[in-house]
Amino acid sequence: MIEVRNLAKRFRLPTRGGRTPLARDPRDHDGWFHAVRDVHFHCGPGEVLGLLGPNGAGKTTTLRLLSTALKPDAGSIHANGADLLADPLYARRHIGFLSGSTGLYGRLTARENIEYFGRLHGMTPARLQRRCDELFDLLQMHQFAHKRADQLSTGMKQRCSIARTVVHEPQIVILDEPTTGLDVMSAKVLLDFIASYKAMGVPLIFSTHHLHEVEKLCDRVCIINHGRTVFHGGMDQLRLQGGSADLYDAFVGIVNREP
C-alpha cells in the first residue's frame, strides 16, 4: 500500500538581469515554479493506478518524489506503514522506479546490466541467477540476453530497463510512461508484465498518455492538472464525473472543467 497526501514541490525560476521573467504558467509566481501543488492518491495491494494528465501537468515530478529522487516541500508519502520521507533508504530498497531517463551501460550485455544492478541491491549470486531467469522469461528477453545494450532496439532496451527496475523484487513498482515509443509487440510484452504484477498483489503505478492501456489494466486513476489532483477514483467514477462513457471524452471533460 502506498498513500500520498498533499504533495508539493517548487523550483526556483531563472532570472534575467536580476529580474524574474513574466509568468507564462499559472504555477509561476513569487519567483518560483510550483510543479506540484497538491497531489494525493493511494494504491493498494494488487491494484494498478494510472497517473494521467496533460503534458507538463506534474506527473513525472510526482513520480520522482515517490522514488525519493526529489525531496518534496510539503506533504507525506507512506508505504506499507513506513514514512518514505523520513526513511528514503527504505524507499530505495522496496520501490522499483523506472524513469524516462533510466539508462543502461552500453558496453554490458542485457544480462550483465541486470546482474550489475542486482549486485548493487546486495542480492546473493543464487538469488540473482534465479531472478534473472524469471525476468528473462517474463519479458521475453532470452533472444538478446547476451547482446550489448548499445546494440539493442528501443523495445529491447525498455524491457532491459524494466528488468533492472524490478530485479530486487520490490514491494511497489512505479513506471513513468513505460510504453512510449514502442512498437505494438514490445508494448504488449510490457502491458502483460504489468498485469502479472497485479496478479502477484504488488501495487503498481504507471503514467501514460495511452488511455486504452488505462482501460485495459487500471483499477484506479489519478488525474493531475496544473500540479493538482483533479480526480482520483475508479473507472466508472471517471466516466460519471467526466460526463461520457468514452474514456477519452471523460478525461478531457475533467481536465477542461478545471479553472
Side-chain angles (χ1 to χ4, degrees):
M1 173 75 169
I2 184 166
E3 184 174 15
V4 174
R5 294 182 179 178
N6 309 119
L7 211 57
K9 179 64 179 177
R10 63 180 184 171
F11 300 94
R12 175 69 72 178
L13 290 169
T15 60
R16 295 178 182 174
R19 301 179 65 181
T20 303
L22 293 176
R24 296 183 177 181
D25 186 289
R27 289 172 289 173
D28 292 354
H29 56 86
D30 299 328
W32 296 87
F33 174 66
H34 297 258
V36 174
R37 297 190 286 178
D38 182 10
V39 167
H40 57 86
F41 57 79
H42 59 85
C43 183
E47 286 189 339
V48 176
L49 173 76
L51 194 64
L52 308 179
N55 285 333
K59 301 186 299 300
T60 293
T61 300
T62 296
L63 296 185
R64 293 184 69 197
L65 291 169
L66 299 189
S67 74
T68 72
L70 291 175
K71 184 178 180 179
D73 299 315
S76 64
I77 308 171
H78 288 84
N80 300 330
D83 183 342
L84 301 192
L85 302 184
D87 189 1
L89 288 180
Y90 177 94
R92 292 162 196 170
R93 288 194 302 266
H94 294 87
I95 291 178
F97 174 58
L98 175 75
S99 73
S101 58
T102 298
L104 302 170
Y105 292 101
R107 294 188 178 184
L108 299 182
T109 67
R111 187 166 187 120
E112 286 170 343
N113 266 284
I114 297 164
E115 289 175 343
Y116 173 73
F117 285 98
R119 288 194 294 271
L120 288 181
H121 281 287
M123 299 176 72
T124 64
R127 180 188 172 203
L128 182 54
Q129 180 175 342
R130 172 188 60 79
R131 183 60 174 158
C132 284
D133 290 341
E134 289 176 353
L135 290 171
F136 276 68
D137 285 339
L138 190 60
L139 291 165
Q140 301 177 26
M141 294 175 58
H142 288 291
Q143 62 180 345
F144 57 88
H146 302 293
K147 196 172 182 179
R148 279 177 37 156
D150 58 8
Q151 298 173 347
L152 300 179
S153 69
T154 300
M156 293 174 181
K157 287 179 179 178
Q158 190 70 329
R159 293 188 222 180
C160 193
S161 293
I162 287 182
R164 72 159 261 199
T165 297
V166 300
V167 65
H168 60 301
E169 300 180 275
Q171 297 175 2
I172 297 167
V173 177
I174 300 171
L175 308 175
D176 189 7
E177 298 188 10
T179 61
T180 296
L182 300 188
D183 63 83
V184 172
M185 298 308 296
S186 293
K188 185 181 186 307
V189 169
L190 296 188
L191 294 178
D192 289 345
F193 165 84
I194 291 173
S196 73
Y197 264 68
K198 178 177 178 177
M200 289 189 292
V202 176
L204 190 147
I205 300 169
F206 79 104
S207 65
T208 182
H209 290 292
H210 304 301
L211 294 184
H212 65 277
E213 298 175 356
V214 173
E215 190 160 30
K216 180 180 177 67
L217 294 171
C218 290
D219 304 284
R220 189 183 304 277
V221 168
C222 174
I223 298 177
I224 299 176
N225 194 26
H226 297 309
R228 288 194 171 105
T229 294
V230 296
F231 174 84
H232 177 229
M235 307 303 292
D236 290 341
Q237 188 180 359
L238 171 59
R239 291 183 172 92
L240 180 63
Q241 291 193 19
S244 175
D246 180 86
L247 207 57
Y248 285 83
D249 290 341
F251 169 79
V252 171
I254 287 174
V255 169
N256 285 344
R257 191 172 60 214
E258 292 303 306

